[in-house]
C-alpha cells in the first residue's frame, strides 16, 4: 500500500522530473500564483541585456516578460492587465458571443477545442465546443454537471470553469442560431430548392412534420439539411400539412424557390402536395411549370412491392422467426445448432439474425441466413422434439425463390438510401433491374412466382409513369449515358410497337423543359448569328443590289441540348470516382442553360430517407427522461444536430447507434 501511495504521490509533485519538465522550454516551471491569479501560468526564462543574463517570468498566454517576485505579487498584478485573463473573465455576461462564434467556428476542426488562435486557452471557445458536442451526440444538458466530465476537463486544463446545465442550454441556442444564419445565407444564393418530408408521432403523442431541403450549392455539391421539425396541429388533414410546410418555408424565406416535394404514398400527403401546388401556381412561382412537383418516395414504393412478395410466404417466415428465437433463448441450443451445421460442412461464420417485421430488408436478411442453414434446421428438428418450427421442403423452395427475387430490390434500396452517389442519374438503370425481375416472374411458367408477382407488377405499373420520366431525364443528363440508357432500358421493358412512342414521350418532355429554361433566361434557342448590322444610311435609295449586300447573313444555330446530345459520350464508364456534378461544373460555360437545368434536376430527391432518419434522432432526444422538452427545443436540437454533423469533417455516431452496430440483431454461430 505504501508503495502504491508513493507512486501516485510522486506523479503530482514537482520533484517528479518527467512530469515537471514536459511543458517548459527552460525546464524550470514555476508554481501557479494563488488568489485571483490562480488561473495565470508563467515560466522562468533567461534574457540578455548588454551582455548580461537575467532571469524573468514570462506569461504563457500573452508572452509578456516581467521581473520575478518570490511572493508572486508581480504575477498577481500582471493578471489584472493580461489581455488573455481579461478575455477569460469576459464582458458578455457569461454567454457565448454569437458574432465571434460565427467567425471563429467555420468548421469544427479549425482550431483545437478550447484554444484561441494565439494558443491560449479560451473558455468561450471551449463552451462552444461543449454545446456542439451536446447537440451532435444528443446528450442531456445535465451532462456538463456530471462529476467525471468535469474532472476530465479539469485534468486536461486547470483553467476550465464549470458551467451549469442552464448555461449550456443557452449556449446551445446561440450555437444553433449561428448555424441557422449560415444556412440562410447559403439558401439566398440558390435558385431552386427541392423538399422531402415525412410525419412522425413521438412518445408525447405529438405529431411532427420533418422537412428537409435538397439543393446544389455554388460549388456544385449536393446539400441536404433539415429545415423544420414542427408540430402538426390537429386535424392532420392534407390542408393542415400544407399550411405547416408553407409556414416553415416562409420562416426560411424560400417559399418562392420550391421546385419539387417528395412525400410518402398517403392520401393526406397527396392532398397536401396538390394544395401547395395550387398556391405556388397562383403566385406564378411554380418551377418546371408543375411537371414534377409531387415526387413519390421510391424507397416507400419498393417497400410496398417487396412486402407483397414476402406476404406470399408468411407461414414460412413465422416458422423461421420463431425458430431463431428458440435458438437465441439458450446458449446450449445455439452451440448444438452450431455443431449440427459443422457436421454438414456449413460455414458457421455467417450469423443467424432475427428481423424487424416492419423492415422488409431485415426480413430478407433473416430469410437468407436461414436458407444458408437449411440442412442444419432440418437435422436439428430430428434431434430436438421440442423444435416445431422447421419449414417444409416446399416452403424452403419458395423462400429461396423469394430471396432471389428480392435481392435486386435490396441493391436498389441501398442506392436510394445511400450517400456515396447521391444524384439520380443511376436510378433508371437500377429501377430497370427491379422491373425486369418482376416482369420475368410475371411471365414465368412457375405458378408460385406468377401468382406472387401479380400484385407487385400492378403496383409497379401504377407508380412507374410518375417517376419514370424524371429518372429518364436525369440519366440523359449524365454525359456518359445520354440517350443510350433510355434506349437500353426501354427496349427491354416495352414491346416493339410501344418503344418509339415511349422514348418519344421522354425526349419531347426533355425538349419542352429545356425550352422553358431557355425562355426563363431570355435566351432564344433559335437565334441567328449576324455578320453585321445593315448600313441603310449610306445606301443610295435606288441601288437595290447594294441593299441586298448590306443584309445580315442568317445561319441556323443549334440549341445547347442538340449540341450536347450530338457530342460523343464521355468515356468515364469504368471510373468509379466520376462525379457528374463536377462534370457539369466544368462545362457550364459551354452549356449555360442546360447546366442550370441539370443542377436543378439532380437536386431532386427520390426518397424521404433523410427525413425518416431525423425521426430516429427525435426518438433519442425525446426519450422517457426528456419527454418534457418543449417542441421548440426539440426542433432546435434536431435541426441543429443535422447542421453540425453535416459541417463536421468526420462521421459522428451517437451512443445508441454504436450499441446497435455492436449488437446488430445477430448472434454468431459458435
Amino acid at each position: 500500500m505504501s508503495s502504491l501511495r508513493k507512486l501516485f504521490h510522486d506523479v503530482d509533485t514537482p520533484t517528479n522530473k518527467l512530469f515537471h519538465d514536459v511543458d517548459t522550454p527552460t525546464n524550470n516551471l514555476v508554481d501557479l500564483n494563488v488568489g485571483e491569479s490562480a488561473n495565470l501560468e508563467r515560466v522562468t526564462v533567461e534574457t540578455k541585456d548588454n551582455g548580461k543574463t537575467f532571469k524573468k517570468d514570462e506569461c504563457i498566454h500573452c508572452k509578456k516578460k516581467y521581473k520575478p517576485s518570490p511572493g508572486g505579487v508581480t504575477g498577481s498584478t500582471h493578471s489584472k492587465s493580461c489581455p488573455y485573463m481579461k478575455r477569460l473573465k469576459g464582458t458578455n455576461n457569461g454567454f457565448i458571443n454569437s458574432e465571434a462564434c460565427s467567425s471563429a467556428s467555420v468548421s469544427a476542426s479549425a482550431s483545437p477545442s478550447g484554444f484561441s488562435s494565439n494558443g491560449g486557452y479560451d473558455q468561450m471557445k471551449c463552451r462552444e465546443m461543449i454545446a456542439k458536442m451536446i447537440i451532435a451526440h444528443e446528450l442531456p444538458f445535465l451532462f456538463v454537471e456530471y462529476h467525471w466530465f468535469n474532472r476530465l476537463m479539469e485534468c486536461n486544463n486547470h483553467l476550465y470553469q464549470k458551467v451549469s446545465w442552464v448555461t449550456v442550454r443557452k449556449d446551445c441556442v446561440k450555437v444553433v442560431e449561428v448555424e441557422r444564419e449560415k444556412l440562410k445565407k447559403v439558401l439566398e444564393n440558390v435558385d431552386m430548392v427541392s423538399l422531402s418530408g415525412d410525419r412522425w408521432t413521438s412518445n408525447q403523442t405529438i405529431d411532427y412534420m420533418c422537412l428537409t431541403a435538397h439543393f446544389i450549392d455554388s460549388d456544385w455539391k449536393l446539400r441536404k439539411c433539415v429545415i423544420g421539425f414542427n408540430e402538426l396541429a390537429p386535424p392532420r388533414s392534407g390542408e393542415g400539412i400544407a399550411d405547416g410546410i408553407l409556414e416553415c418555408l416562409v420562416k426560411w424565406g424560400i417559399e418562392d424557390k420550391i421546385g419539387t416535394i417528395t412525400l410518402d404514398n398517403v392520401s393526406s400527403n397527396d392532398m397536401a402536395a396538390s394544395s401547395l401546388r395550387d398556391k405556388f401556381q397562383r403566385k406564378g412561382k411554380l418551377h418546371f411549370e408543375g411537371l414534377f412537383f409531387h415526387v413519390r418516395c421510391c424507397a416507400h414504393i419498393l417497400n410496398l412491392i417487396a412486402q407483397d412478395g414476402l406476404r406470399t410466404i408468411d407461414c414460412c417466415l413465422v416458422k423461421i422467426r420463431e425458430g431463431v428465437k428458440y435458438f437465441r433463448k439458450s446458449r446450449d441450443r445455439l452451440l448444438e445448432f452450431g455443431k449440427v451445421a459443422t457436421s454438414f460442412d456449413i460455414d458457421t461464420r455467417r450469423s443467424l439474425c432475427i428481423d424487424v417485421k416492419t423492415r422488409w430488408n431485415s426480413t430478407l436478411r433473416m430469410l437468407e441466413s436461414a436458407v444458408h442453414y437449411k440442412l442444419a434446421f432440418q437435422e436439428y428438428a430430428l434431434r430436438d422434439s421440442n423444435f416445431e418450427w422447421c419449414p417444409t421442403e416446399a416452403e424452403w423452395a419458395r423462400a429461396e425463390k423469394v430471396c432471389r427475387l428480392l435481392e435486386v430490390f435490396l441493391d436498389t434500396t441501398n442506392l436510394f438510401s445511400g450517400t456515396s452517389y447521391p444524384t439520380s442519374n443511376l436510378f433508371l438503370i437500377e429501377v430497370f433491374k427491379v422491373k425486369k425481375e418482376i416482369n420475368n416472374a410475371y411471365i414465368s411458367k412457375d405458378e408460385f412466382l406468377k401468382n406472387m408477382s401479380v400484385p407487385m407488377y400492378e403496383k409497379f405499373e401504377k407508380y412507374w409513369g410518375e417517376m419514370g420520366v424524371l429518372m429518364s431525364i436525369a440519366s440523359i443528363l449524365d454525359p456518359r449515358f445520354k440517350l443510350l440508357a433510355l434506349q437500353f432500358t426501354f427496349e427491354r421493358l416495352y414491346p416493339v410497337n410501344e418503344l418509339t412512342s415511349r422514348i418519344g414521350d421522354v425526349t419531347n418532355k426533355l425538349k419542352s423543359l429545356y425550352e422553358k429554361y431557355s425562355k426563363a433566361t431570355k435566351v432564344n434557342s433559335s437565334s441567328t448569328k449576324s455578320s453585321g448590322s445593315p448600313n441603310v444610311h449610306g445606301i443610295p435609295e435606288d441601288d437595290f443590289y447594294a441593299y441586298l449586300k448590306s443584309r445580315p447573313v442568317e445561319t441556323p444555330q443549334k440549341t445547347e441540348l442538340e449540341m450536347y446530345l450530338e457530342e460523343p459520350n464521355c468515356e468515364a464508364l469504368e471510373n468509379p470516382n466520376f462525379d457528374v456534378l463536377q462534370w457539369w461544373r466544368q462545362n457550364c460555360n459551354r452549356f449555360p442553360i442546360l447546366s442550370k437545368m441539370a443542377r436543378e434536376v439532380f437536386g431532386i430527391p427520390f426518397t424521404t430517407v433523410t427525413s425518416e432518419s431525423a425521426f430516429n434522432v427525435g426518438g433519442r432526444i425525446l426519450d422517457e427522461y426528456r419527454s418534457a422538452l418543449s417542441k421548440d427545443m426539440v426542433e432546435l436540437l434536431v435541426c441543429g444536430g443535422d447542421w453540425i454533423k453535416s459541417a463536421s469533417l468526420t462521421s459522428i455516431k451517437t451512443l445508441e447507434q454504436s450499441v446497435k452496430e455492436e449488437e446488430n440483431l445477430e448472434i454468431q454461430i459458435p
Side-chain angles (χ1 to χ4, degrees), residues 603-616:
I604 299 174
F606 278 83
T607 70
T608 60
V609 171
T610 307
S611 297
E612 291 173 5
S613 299
F615 299 150
N616 297 329

Side-chain angles (χ1 to χ4, degrees), residues 223-289:
R223 299 277 299 272
K224 297 178 286 187
C225 52
V226 178
I227 60 172
F229 198 83
N230 307 309
E231 179 184 354
L232 281 177
R236 282 84 181 181
S237 61
E239 195 65 35
I241 295 172
D243 290 341
I245 293 174
L246 192 58
E247 182 182 351
C248 178
L249 299 180
V250 170
K251 281 197 304 184
W252 283 92
I254 57 174
E255 66 274 17
D256 294 337
K257 297 184 176 185
I258 304 305
T260 66
I261 181 166
T262 304
L263 299 168
D264 273 354
N265 303 290
V266 183
S267 58
S268 57
N269 286 341
D270 293 345
M271 295 171 61
S274 178
S275 176
L276 287 171
R277 174 176 173 165
D278 291 342
K279 290 175 182 178
F280 292 145
Q281 194 165 25
R282 285 195 295 269
K283 293 177 66 177
K285 299 293 183 181
L286 198 59
H287 291 257
F288 302 125
E289 294 192 358

Side-chain angles (χ1 to χ4, degrees), residues 451-669:
N451 293 335
M452 179 186 68
S453 66
V454 170
M456 302 171 74
Y457 182 88
E458 293 174 351
K459 198 159 291 182
F460 191 97
E461 287 297 317
K462 176 181 178 182
Y463 296 114
W464 170 249
E466 299 179 7
M467 64 183 179
V469 173
L470 186 53
M471 284 186 183
S472 300
I473 290 176
S475 68
I476 293 173
L477 292 175
D478 187 322
R480 300 170 299 171
F481 304 156
K482 297 186 180 179
L483 292 174
L484 294 180
L486 193 66
Q487 293 170 353
F488 173 84
T489 54
F490 279 30
E491 284 175 0
R492 289 158 177 79
L493 288 178
Y494 302 109
V496 178
N497 59 336
E498 293 183 25
L499 184 60
T500 304
S501 61
R502 294 277 188 174
I503 293 178
D505 180 52
V506 173
T507 54
N508 288 337
K509 287 181 178 177
L510 174 63
K511 292 176 182 177
S512 175
L513 189 61
Y514 171 80
E515 289 172 2
K516 291 179 175 64
Y517 273 84
S518 181
K519 291 178 181 178
T521 53
K522 298 180 180 180
V523 175
N524 188 357
S525 60
S526 61
S527 61
T528 58
K529 185 177 180 181
S530 175
S531 60
S533 300
N535 183 14
V536 294
H537 299 289
I539 300 174
E541 292 185 4
D542 57 350
D543 194 338
F544 175 70
Y545 294 101
Y547 173 76
L548 288 180
K549 291 180 181 179
S550 69
R551 300 294 297 168
V553 179
E554 296 184 358
T555 56
Q557 184 177 351
K558 293 181 179 180
T559 65
E560 289 181 20
L561 179 60
E562 291 171 335
M563 289 189 294
Y564 167 76
L565 293 176
E566 288 177 2
E567 285 186 357
N569 290 25
C570 177
E571 296 181 0
L573 291 175
E574 302 301 325
N575 181 9
N577 299 318
F578 178 78
D579 189 336
V580 68
L581 294 180
Q582 291 306 307
W583 188 92
W584 278 105
R585 180 184 186 181
Q586 295 166 6
N587 290 272
C588 61
N589 291 331
R590 291 201 302 131
F591 305 113
I593 301 173
L594 203 57
S595 63
K596 177 178 175 59
M597 188 172 79
R599 179 199 291 264
E600 297 182 353
V601 168
F602 286 138
I604 299 174
F606 278 83
T607 70
T608 60
V609 171
T610 307
S611 297
E612 291 173 5
S613 299
F615 299 150
N616 297 329
V617 176
R620 292 191 293 268
I621 291 174
L622 282 172
D623 59 20
E624 56 183 325
Y625 302 107
R626 306 177 77 190
S627 57
L629 283 175
S630 68
K631 60 180 185 295
D632 292 335
M633 183 54 67
V634 172
E635 181 182 18
L636 180 139
L637 293 174
V638 172
C639 295
D642 177 73
W643 305 336
I644 292 172
K645 291 173 187 175
S646 298
S648 175
L649 300 179
T650 57
S651 176
I652 298 177
K653 293 181 182 178
T654 64
L655 178 61
E656 183 172 337
Q657 287 172 328
S658 299
V659 171
K660 281 187 175 180
E661 283 186 5
E662 291 176 5
E663 292 179 350
N664 206 23
L665 295 177
E666 296 182 352
I667 293 182
Q668 284 292 134
I669 302 297

